[in-house]
């Protein structure tokens, strides 16, 4: 998952970069409108609307015109209702007003990713390293050997496989698999331990300290 962070405030951008990278995201930083429009393609944009060389609203409009499936979250000090309406109308999927907590921003990122994941169905067959996951048939092979998983174990693996290499929070996996952010003490940990044992390659499902889990790509 590649994120473009468009923010000209060095202090704010440093905090956001640190948080996003700890979550396992690949982040590119742009401090100006020009740099944002010249940046490499990404999956999601966190866009400040107050930029030194242009209006972030125009940047948002241009990015949306280029890619209708791109996730865009406006992160700005503009808190008036008319600013929010304008931002959403020109293409932002969500709107966060400064100051904000990192927990809130992370929750909004995850909510947007859930929506886009539902809109874009997973490939029927995904091959990730030695793993071969057939989503339609709900079968898993490791090094061409079949692996028998329970329904929930498969769902946990499928959740991680949607974004290989990206750290997913415990809360997000619980929401994907159990449709709640709480499902009993250690429920997810027990399923991950069983999944690792059955795959026979425990290093494929990595623990990301303080975050959750990541499928090794």
């Amino acid at each position: 998952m590649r994120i473009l962070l468009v923010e000209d405030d060095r202090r704010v951008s440093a905090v956001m970069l640190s948080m996003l990278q700890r979550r396992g995201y690949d982040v590119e930083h742009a401090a100006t409108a020009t740099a944002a429009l010249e940046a490499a393609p990404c999956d999601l944009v966190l866009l400040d609307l107050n930029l030194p060389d242009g209006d972030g609203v125009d940047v948002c409009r241009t990015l949306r015109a280029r890619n209708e499936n791109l996730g865009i979250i406006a992160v700005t000090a503009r808190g008036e209702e008319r600013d929010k309406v304008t931002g959403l109308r020109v293409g932002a999927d969500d709107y966060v007003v400064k100051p904000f907590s990192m927990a809130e921003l992370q929750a909004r990122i995850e909510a947007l990713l859930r929506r886009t994941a539902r809109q874009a169905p997973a490939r029927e067959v995904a091959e990730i390293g030695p793993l071969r996951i057939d989503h339609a048939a709900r079968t898993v092979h490791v090094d061409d050997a079949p692996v028998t998983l329970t329904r929930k174990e498969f769902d946990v693996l499928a959740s991680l496989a949607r974004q290989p290499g990206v750290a997913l929070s415990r809360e997000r996996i619980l929401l994907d698999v159990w449709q709640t952010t709480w499902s009993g003490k250690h429920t997810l940990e027990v399923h991950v331990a069983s999944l690792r044992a059955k795959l026979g390659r425990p290093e494929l499902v990595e623990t990301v300290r303080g975050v959750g889990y990541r499928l090794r790509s």
Side-chain angles (χ1 to χ4, degrees):
M1 177 58 60
R2 193 164 191 277
I3 293 179
L4 173 62
L5 171 62
V6 186
E7 171 61 64
D8 67 319
D9 186 306
R10 291 184 179 181
R11 183 182 61 82
V12 174
S13 62
V15 172
M16 294 177 69
L17 275 169
S18 177
M19 182 275 289
L20 293 167
Q21 289 169 346
R22 284 201 309 270
R23 296 284 180 175
Y25 297 114
D26 178 13
V27 188
E28 179 178 355
H29 176 227
T32 65
T34 300
L37 294 175
E38 292 176 349
C42 62
D43 303 293
L44 185 144
V45 179
L46 300 176
L47 176 63
D48 183 12
L49 299 184
N50 296 319
L51 299 171
D53 61 338
D55 193 330
V57 170
D58 295 327
V59 175
C60 183
R61 183 183 291 109
T62 301
L63 292 174
R64 177 57 67 217
R66 289 179 181 176
N67 184 352
E68 64 179 15
N69 296 317
L70 176 64
I72 302 175
I73 300 178
V75 183
T76 177
R78 298 183 189 178
E80 297 293 330
E81 182 180 13
R82 63 177 179 275
D83 294 317
K84 297 178 183 179
V85 170
T86 299
L88 293 170
R89 281 181 173 171
V90 299
D93 297 290
D94 202 351
Y95 198 103
V96 181
V97 178
K98 298 176 181 177
F100 57 87
S101 71
M102 288 298 143
E104 177 189 0
L105 181 61
Q106 176 64 24
R108 290 178 181 272
I109 290 172
E110 292 182 356
L112 179 55
L113 293 177
R114 282 197 302 273
R115 293 199 298 271
T116 55
R118 292 190 191 107
Q119 293 167 1
R123 291 172 296 168
E124 285 196 4
V125 178
E127 296 188 1
I128 306 164
L131 276 173
R132 186 175 187 273
I133 305 169
D134 188 324
H135 290 272
R138 295 180 67 84
T139 59
V140 176
H141 289 74
V142 177
D143 293 324
D144 296 325
V147 178
T148 301
L149 301 177
T150 66
R151 182 168 62 90
K152 290 300 186 185
E153 289 166 354
F154 181 90
D155 290 342
V156 170
L157 181 61
S159 179
L160 294 168
R162 291 192 189 101
Q163 297 179 68
V166 173
L168 300 186
S169 69
R170 182 180 184 278
E171 291 74 19
R172 180 175 177 187
I173 300 171
L174 285 171
L175 196 60
D176 282 347
V177 177
W178 283 273
Q179 288 74 55
T180 180
T181 56
W182 185 90
S183 188
K185 188 176 182 180
H186 303 314
T187 295
L188 178 57
E189 288 78 1
V190 169
H191 281 78
V192 168
S194 178
L195 176 61
R196 285 169 168 162
K198 289 183 177 181
L199 292 177
R201 299 280 296 273
E203 73 278 5
L204 292 175
V205 181
E206 300 177 330
T207 298
V208 182
R209 188 181 298 273
V211 180
Y213 299 95
R214 171 174 54 214
L215 184 63
R216 188 174 181 177
S217 59

